[in-house]
Short mmCIF file of all heavy atoms in Angstrom, two decimals:
data_model
loop_
_atom_site.label_atom_id
_atom_site.label_comp_id
_atom_site.label_asym_id
_atom_site.label_seq_id
_atom_site.Cartn_x
_atom_site.Cartn_y
_atom_site.Cartn_z
N ILE A 69 38.20 48.74 -20.14
CA ILE A 69 39.06 49.83 -20.61
C ILE A 69 40.12 49.27 -21.56
O ILE A 69 40.42 49.86 -22.61
CB ILE A 69 39.71 50.55 -19.43
CG1 ILE A 69 38.64 51.25 -18.58
CG2 ILE A 69 40.76 51.55 -19.90
CD1 ILE A 69 39.16 51.87 -17.30
N ALA A 70 40.71 48.14 -21.21
CA ALA A 70 41.73 47.52 -22.05
C ALA A 70 41.16 47.13 -23.41
O ALA A 70 41.79 47.35 -24.46
CB ALA A 70 42.32 46.30 -21.36
N ALA A 71 39.95 46.56 -23.43
CA ALA A 71 39.35 46.13 -24.69
C ALA A 71 39.08 47.31 -25.62
O ALA A 71 39.39 47.26 -26.82
CB ALA A 71 38.07 45.36 -24.40
N VAL A 72 38.47 48.36 -25.08
CA VAL A 72 38.17 49.53 -25.91
C VAL A 72 39.46 50.17 -26.40
O VAL A 72 39.59 50.56 -27.58
CB VAL A 72 37.33 50.55 -25.10
CG1 VAL A 72 37.14 51.84 -25.89
CG2 VAL A 72 35.97 49.94 -24.77
N GLY A 73 40.45 50.30 -25.54
CA GLY A 73 41.72 50.90 -25.94
C GLY A 73 42.40 50.11 -27.04
O GLY A 73 42.95 50.69 -27.99
N ALA A 74 42.38 48.79 -26.95
CA ALA A 74 43.02 47.96 -27.98
C ALA A 74 42.33 48.13 -29.33
O ALA A 74 43.00 48.20 -30.38
CB ALA A 74 43.00 46.50 -27.54
N HIS A 75 41.00 48.21 -29.34
CA HIS A 75 40.28 48.41 -30.61
C HIS A 75 40.58 49.78 -31.20
O HIS A 75 40.74 49.92 -32.43
CB HIS A 75 38.78 48.24 -30.38
CG HIS A 75 38.32 46.81 -30.44
ND1 HIS A 75 38.10 46.14 -31.62
CD2 HIS A 75 38.06 45.93 -29.44
CE1 HIS A 75 37.70 44.91 -31.36
NE2 HIS A 75 37.67 44.75 -30.05
N LEU A 76 40.67 50.81 -30.37
CA LEU A 76 40.97 52.15 -30.87
C LEU A 76 42.37 52.20 -31.49
O LEU A 76 42.57 52.82 -32.55
CB LEU A 76 40.85 53.16 -29.75
CG LEU A 76 39.44 53.45 -29.24
CD1 LEU A 76 39.48 54.40 -28.04
CD2 LEU A 76 38.58 54.05 -30.36
N VAL A 77 43.34 51.56 -30.85
CA VAL A 77 44.69 51.55 -31.40
C VAL A 77 44.73 50.83 -32.74
O VAL A 77 45.37 51.28 -33.69
CB VAL A 77 45.66 50.89 -30.40
CG1 VAL A 77 47.02 50.63 -31.04
CG2 VAL A 77 45.83 51.76 -29.17
N GLY A 78 44.03 49.69 -32.83
CA GLY A 78 43.99 48.96 -34.09
C GLY A 78 43.36 49.77 -35.22
O GLY A 78 43.87 49.79 -36.35
N ALA A 79 42.26 50.46 -34.93
CA ALA A 79 41.59 51.27 -35.95
C ALA A 79 42.48 52.44 -36.39
O ALA A 79 42.57 52.75 -37.59
CB ALA A 79 40.26 51.79 -35.40
N LEU A 80 43.15 53.08 -35.45
CA LEU A 80 44.02 54.20 -35.78
C LEU A 80 45.19 53.75 -36.65
O LEU A 80 45.55 54.42 -37.64
CB LEU A 80 44.54 54.86 -34.50
CG LEU A 80 45.52 56.03 -34.69
CD1 LEU A 80 44.83 57.17 -35.44
CD2 LEU A 80 46.04 56.50 -33.34
N ALA A 81 45.79 52.62 -36.31
CA ALA A 81 46.93 52.12 -37.08
C ALA A 81 46.53 51.82 -38.52
O ALA A 81 47.29 52.09 -39.47
CB ALA A 81 47.49 50.86 -36.42
N ARG A 82 45.36 51.28 -38.72
CA ARG A 82 44.90 50.99 -40.09
C ARG A 82 44.66 52.26 -40.87
O ARG A 82 45.01 52.37 -42.06
CB ARG A 82 43.63 50.14 -40.05
CG ARG A 82 43.89 48.67 -39.76
CD ARG A 82 42.64 47.83 -39.84
NE ARG A 82 41.78 48.02 -38.68
CZ ARG A 82 40.68 48.75 -38.67
NH1 ARG A 82 40.31 49.40 -39.77
NH2 ARG A 82 39.95 48.86 -37.58
N ARG A 83 44.06 53.24 -40.25
CA ARG A 83 43.76 54.49 -40.97
C ARG A 83 45.02 55.28 -41.32
O ARG A 83 45.02 56.06 -42.26
CB ARG A 83 42.80 55.33 -40.14
CG ARG A 83 41.36 54.82 -40.25
CD ARG A 83 40.45 55.37 -39.18
NE ARG A 83 39.06 55.03 -39.44
CZ ARG A 83 38.55 53.82 -39.26
NH1 ARG A 83 39.31 52.83 -38.81
NH2 ARG A 83 37.27 53.59 -39.53
N LEU A 84 46.08 55.04 -40.54
CA LEU A 84 47.35 55.68 -40.86
C LEU A 84 48.19 54.87 -41.84
O LEU A 84 49.27 55.29 -42.23
CB LEU A 84 48.15 55.92 -39.57
CG LEU A 84 47.54 56.93 -38.58
CD1 LEU A 84 48.38 57.02 -37.31
CD2 LEU A 84 47.40 58.31 -39.22
N GLY A 85 47.68 53.70 -42.20
CA GLY A 85 48.36 52.87 -43.18
C GLY A 85 49.60 52.17 -42.66
O GLY A 85 50.50 51.82 -43.43
N TRP A 86 49.70 51.92 -41.34
CA TRP A 86 50.88 51.28 -40.78
C TRP A 86 50.89 49.79 -41.09
O TRP A 86 49.84 49.14 -41.16
CB TRP A 86 50.92 51.48 -39.26
CG TRP A 86 51.18 52.91 -38.87
CD1 TRP A 86 51.63 53.91 -39.69
CD2 TRP A 86 50.99 53.48 -37.57
NE1 TRP A 86 51.74 55.08 -38.99
CE2 TRP A 86 51.37 54.85 -37.68
CE3 TRP A 86 50.57 52.99 -36.35
CZ2 TRP A 86 51.32 55.71 -36.61
CZ3 TRP A 86 50.52 53.85 -35.27
CH2 TRP A 86 50.89 55.19 -35.40
N GLY A 87 52.05 49.24 -41.22
CA GLY A 87 52.21 47.82 -41.45
C GLY A 87 52.23 47.02 -40.16
O GLY A 87 51.94 47.54 -39.07
N ALA A 88 52.62 45.75 -40.27
CA ALA A 88 52.53 44.83 -39.13
C ALA A 88 53.46 45.24 -37.98
O ALA A 88 53.03 45.31 -36.82
CB ALA A 88 52.85 43.41 -39.59
N LEU A 89 54.74 45.51 -38.27
CA LEU A 89 55.69 45.81 -37.21
C LEU A 89 55.39 47.11 -36.48
O LEU A 89 55.38 47.14 -35.24
CB LEU A 89 57.11 45.81 -37.78
CG LEU A 89 57.65 44.45 -38.20
CD1 LEU A 89 59.07 44.59 -38.76
CD2 LEU A 89 57.64 43.47 -37.04
N PRO A 90 55.14 48.22 -37.19
CA PRO A 90 54.77 49.45 -36.45
C PRO A 90 53.50 49.28 -35.62
O PRO A 90 53.42 49.79 -34.49
CB PRO A 90 54.59 50.48 -37.57
CG PRO A 90 55.37 49.96 -38.72
CD PRO A 90 55.26 48.48 -38.64
N THR A 91 52.52 48.56 -36.17
CA THR A 91 51.28 48.35 -35.42
C THR A 91 51.54 47.56 -34.16
O THR A 91 51.01 47.88 -33.08
CB THR A 91 50.25 47.64 -36.30
OG1 THR A 91 49.97 48.44 -37.45
CG2 THR A 91 48.96 47.39 -35.53
N ALA A 92 52.34 46.49 -34.26
CA ALA A 92 52.64 45.67 -33.08
C ALA A 92 53.38 46.49 -32.02
O ALA A 92 53.11 46.37 -30.82
CB ALA A 92 53.46 44.46 -33.49
N ALA A 93 54.33 47.32 -32.46
CA ALA A 93 55.09 48.13 -31.51
C ALA A 93 54.21 49.13 -30.79
O ALA A 93 54.30 49.30 -29.56
CB ALA A 93 56.23 48.84 -32.25
N VAL A 94 53.34 49.79 -31.53
CA VAL A 94 52.45 50.77 -30.92
C VAL A 94 51.45 50.09 -29.99
O VAL A 94 51.12 50.60 -28.91
CB VAL A 94 51.72 51.58 -32.01
CG1 VAL A 94 50.63 52.44 -31.40
CG2 VAL A 94 52.71 52.46 -32.77
N THR A 95 50.97 48.91 -30.38
CA THR A 95 50.04 48.17 -29.54
C THR A 95 50.69 47.79 -28.21
O THR A 95 50.08 47.94 -27.14
CB THR A 95 49.56 46.90 -30.26
OG1 THR A 95 48.87 47.27 -31.46
CG2 THR A 95 48.62 46.09 -29.39
N LEU A 96 51.93 47.32 -28.27
CA LEU A 96 52.63 46.96 -27.04
C LEU A 96 52.84 48.19 -26.15
O LEU A 96 52.62 48.14 -24.93
CB LEU A 96 53.98 46.33 -27.38
CG LEU A 96 54.87 45.96 -26.18
CD1 LEU A 96 54.16 44.95 -25.28
CD2 LEU A 96 56.21 45.41 -26.66
N ALA A 97 53.25 49.30 -26.76
CA ALA A 97 53.45 50.52 -25.97
C ALA A 97 52.14 51.00 -25.35
O ALA A 97 52.12 51.43 -24.18
CB ALA A 97 54.04 51.61 -26.86
N ALA A 98 51.06 50.92 -26.11
CA ALA A 98 49.76 51.35 -25.59
C ALA A 98 49.31 50.47 -24.42
O ALA A 98 48.74 50.95 -23.43
CB ALA A 98 48.72 51.32 -26.70
N PHE A 99 49.58 49.15 -24.51
CA PHE A 99 49.24 48.25 -23.41
C PHE A 99 50.01 48.63 -22.15
O PHE A 99 49.45 48.66 -21.04
CB PHE A 99 49.54 46.80 -23.79
CG PHE A 99 49.67 45.89 -22.60
CD1 PHE A 99 48.55 45.54 -21.86
CD2 PHE A 99 50.91 45.41 -22.20
CE1 PHE A 99 48.66 44.72 -20.74
CE2 PHE A 99 51.04 44.59 -21.10
CZ PHE A 99 49.91 44.24 -20.37
N VAL A 100 51.30 48.91 -22.29
CA VAL A 100 52.12 49.27 -21.12
C VAL A 100 51.58 50.53 -20.46
O VAL A 100 51.46 50.61 -19.23
CB VAL A 100 53.59 49.45 -21.54
CG1 VAL A 100 54.40 50.04 -20.40
CG2 VAL A 100 54.19 48.12 -22.00
N VAL A 101 51.24 51.53 -21.28
CA VAL A 101 50.72 52.79 -20.72
C VAL A 101 49.37 52.54 -20.05
O VAL A 101 49.12 53.02 -18.93
CB VAL A 101 50.60 53.84 -21.83
CG1 VAL A 101 49.87 55.08 -21.31
CG2 VAL A 101 51.98 54.23 -22.35
N GLU A 102 48.51 51.82 -20.73
CA GLU A 102 47.17 51.56 -20.17
C GLU A 102 47.26 50.81 -18.84
O GLU A 102 46.60 51.16 -17.85
CB GLU A 102 46.33 50.77 -21.18
CG GLU A 102 44.92 50.45 -20.72
CD GLU A 102 44.81 49.10 -20.03
OE1 GLU A 102 45.61 48.20 -20.34
OE2 GLU A 102 43.91 48.97 -19.16
N ALA A 103 48.11 49.77 -18.78
CA ALA A 103 48.26 49.01 -17.55
C ALA A 103 48.87 49.86 -16.44
O ALA A 103 48.48 49.76 -15.27
CB ALA A 103 49.11 47.77 -17.80
N SER A 104 49.82 50.71 -16.79
CA SER A 104 50.46 51.57 -15.79
C SER A 104 49.47 52.56 -15.19
O SER A 104 49.46 52.80 -13.98
CB SER A 104 51.63 52.32 -16.41
OG SER A 104 52.62 51.42 -16.87
N VAL A 105 48.63 53.14 -16.05
CA VAL A 105 47.67 54.15 -15.59
C VAL A 105 46.53 53.52 -14.81
O VAL A 105 46.11 54.02 -13.76
CB VAL A 105 47.15 54.97 -16.78
CG1 VAL A 105 46.01 55.88 -16.35
CG2 VAL A 105 48.27 55.76 -17.42
N VAL A 106 46.00 52.40 -15.32
CA VAL A 106 44.79 51.80 -14.74
C VAL A 106 45.10 50.91 -13.55
O VAL A 106 44.42 50.95 -12.52
CB VAL A 106 44.01 51.03 -15.82
CG1 VAL A 106 42.80 50.32 -15.21
CG2 VAL A 106 43.56 51.97 -16.92
N LEU A 107 46.14 50.07 -13.67
CA LEU A 107 46.42 49.07 -12.64
C LEU A 107 47.54 49.46 -11.69
O LEU A 107 47.57 49.02 -10.54
CB LEU A 107 46.76 47.72 -13.30
CG LEU A 107 45.66 47.08 -14.15
CD1 LEU A 107 46.16 45.79 -14.77
CD2 LEU A 107 44.42 46.82 -13.31
N TYR A 108 48.49 50.29 -12.16
CA TYR A 108 49.65 50.62 -11.33
C TYR A 108 49.89 52.12 -11.25
O TYR A 108 51.03 52.58 -11.40
CB TYR A 108 50.90 49.91 -11.89
CG TYR A 108 50.82 48.42 -11.77
CD1 TYR A 108 50.33 47.65 -12.80
CD2 TYR A 108 51.23 47.77 -10.61
CE1 TYR A 108 50.22 46.27 -12.69
CE2 TYR A 108 51.14 46.40 -10.48
CZ TYR A 108 50.63 45.65 -11.53
OH TYR A 108 50.54 44.29 -11.40
N PRO A 109 48.87 52.91 -10.97
CA PRO A 109 49.10 54.36 -10.86
C PRO A 109 49.96 54.72 -9.65
O PRO A 109 50.59 55.77 -9.64
CB PRO A 109 47.68 54.91 -10.71
CG PRO A 109 46.89 53.80 -10.11
CD PRO A 109 47.46 52.54 -10.72
N HIS A 110 50.00 53.82 -8.65
CA HIS A 110 50.76 54.11 -7.44
C HIS A 110 52.27 53.88 -7.60
O HIS A 110 53.06 54.32 -6.77
CB HIS A 110 50.25 53.23 -6.29
CG HIS A 110 50.30 51.77 -6.59
ND1 HIS A 110 49.53 51.18 -7.56
CD2 HIS A 110 51.04 50.76 -6.03
CE1 HIS A 110 49.77 49.89 -7.61
NE2 HIS A 110 50.69 49.61 -6.69
N THR A 111 52.68 53.21 -8.68
CA THR A 111 54.10 52.97 -8.88
C THR A 111 54.64 53.59 -10.16
O THR A 111 55.85 53.76 -10.31
CB THR A 111 54.40 51.46 -8.94
OG1 THR A 111 53.72 50.88 -10.06
CG2 THR A 111 53.95 50.77 -7.66
N SER A 112 53.76 53.93 -11.12
CA SER A 112 54.21 54.49 -12.40
C SER A 112 54.31 56.01 -12.30
O SER A 112 53.77 56.63 -11.38
CB SER A 112 53.26 54.10 -13.52
OG SER A 112 51.95 54.58 -13.26
N ALA A 113 54.99 56.59 -13.28
CA ALA A 113 55.15 58.05 -13.34
C ALA A 113 54.56 58.56 -14.64
O ALA A 113 55.16 58.37 -15.71
CB ALA A 113 56.63 58.42 -13.24
N TYR A 114 53.37 59.15 -14.56
CA TYR A 114 52.69 59.70 -15.74
C TYR A 114 52.52 58.64 -16.83
O TYR A 114 52.71 58.89 -18.02
CB TYR A 114 53.45 60.90 -16.29
CG TYR A 114 53.67 61.99 -15.28
CD1 TYR A 114 54.91 62.14 -14.66
CD2 TYR A 114 52.63 62.86 -14.90
CE1 TYR A 114 55.12 63.12 -13.71
CE2 TYR A 114 52.84 63.84 -13.95
CZ TYR A 114 54.07 63.98 -13.36
OH TYR A 114 54.27 64.94 -12.40
N GLY A 115 52.16 57.44 -16.42
CA GLY A 115 51.94 56.36 -17.38
C GLY A 115 53.18 55.61 -17.78
O GLY A 115 53.10 54.66 -18.57
N ILE A 116 54.33 55.99 -17.27
CA ILE A 116 55.59 55.32 -17.60
C ILE A 116 55.95 54.41 -16.43
O ILE A 116 56.08 54.87 -15.29
CB ILE A 116 56.72 56.32 -17.86
CG1 ILE A 116 56.30 57.33 -18.93
CG2 ILE A 116 58.00 55.60 -18.25
CD1 ILE A 116 55.96 56.70 -20.26
N PRO A 117 56.12 53.10 -16.67
CA PRO A 117 56.45 52.20 -15.57
C PRO A 117 57.84 52.49 -15.01
O PRO A 117 58.76 52.88 -15.74
CB PRO A 117 56.39 50.81 -16.22
CG PRO A 117 56.59 51.05 -17.68
CD PRO A 117 55.98 52.40 -17.96
N THR A 118 57.99 52.30 -13.71
CA THR A 118 59.26 52.48 -13.03
C THR A 118 59.76 51.12 -12.54
O THR A 118 59.11 50.09 -12.74
CB THR A 118 59.10 53.43 -11.84
OG1 THR A 118 58.20 52.82 -10.88
CG2 THR A 118 58.51 54.76 -12.29
N ALA A 119 60.91 51.12 -11.89
CA ALA A 119 61.43 49.88 -11.32
C ALA A 119 60.46 49.30 -10.30
O ALA A 119 60.27 48.08 -10.21
CB ALA A 119 62.79 50.14 -10.67
N ALA A 120 59.80 50.19 -9.55
CA ALA A 120 58.80 49.72 -8.57
C ALA A 120 57.62 49.06 -9.26
O ALA A 120 57.03 48.11 -8.74
CB ALA A 120 58.33 50.89 -7.71
N THR A 121 57.28 49.55 -10.46
CA THR A 121 56.18 48.95 -11.22
C THR A 121 56.51 47.52 -11.61
O THR A 121 55.69 46.61 -11.44
CB THR A 121 55.88 49.78 -12.48
OG1 THR A 121 55.62 51.13 -12.11
CG2 THR A 121 54.68 49.22 -13.21
N PHE A 122 57.71 47.33 -12.15
CA PHE A 122 58.09 45.98 -12.56
C PHE A 122 58.21 45.03 -11.38
O PHE A 122 57.87 43.85 -11.48
CB PHE A 122 59.41 46.03 -13.35
CG PHE A 122 59.28 46.67 -14.70
CD1 PHE A 122 59.83 47.91 -14.95
CD2 PHE A 122 58.58 46.03 -15.72
CE1 PHE A 122 59.72 48.51 -16.20
CE2 PHE A 122 58.45 46.62 -16.97
CZ PHE A 122 59.02 47.85 -17.21
N GLU A 123 58.65 45.53 -10.24
CA GLU A 123 58.70 44.70 -9.04
C GLU A 123 57.29 44.31 -8.60
O GLU A 123 57.03 43.15 -8.25
CB GLU A 123 59.41 45.46 -7.91
CG GLU A 123 59.55 44.64 -6.64
CD GLU A 123 60.28 45.40 -5.54
OE1 GLU A 123 60.74 46.54 -5.82
OE2 GLU A 123 60.38 44.87 -4.43
N ALA A 124 56.36 45.28 -8.65
CA ALA A 124 54.98 44.98 -8.28
C ALA A 124 54.34 44.01 -9.26
O ALA A 124 53.56 43.13 -8.87
CB ALA A 124 54.17 46.28 -8.22
#
Side-chain angles (χ1 to χ4, degrees):
I69 295 174
V72 174
H75 275 281
L76 290 175
V77 169
L80 178 62
R82 282 185 285 103
R83 282 164 171 75
L84 294 176
W86 291 346
L89 290 180
T91 300
V94 171
T95 299
L96 177 60
F99 161 71
V100 171
V101 172
E102 181 267 332
S104 298
V105 172
V106 176
L107 298 178
Y108 294 93
H110 57 294
T111 63
S112 60
Y114 304 102
I116 305 300
T118 64
T121 304
F122 290 110
E123 182 179 356

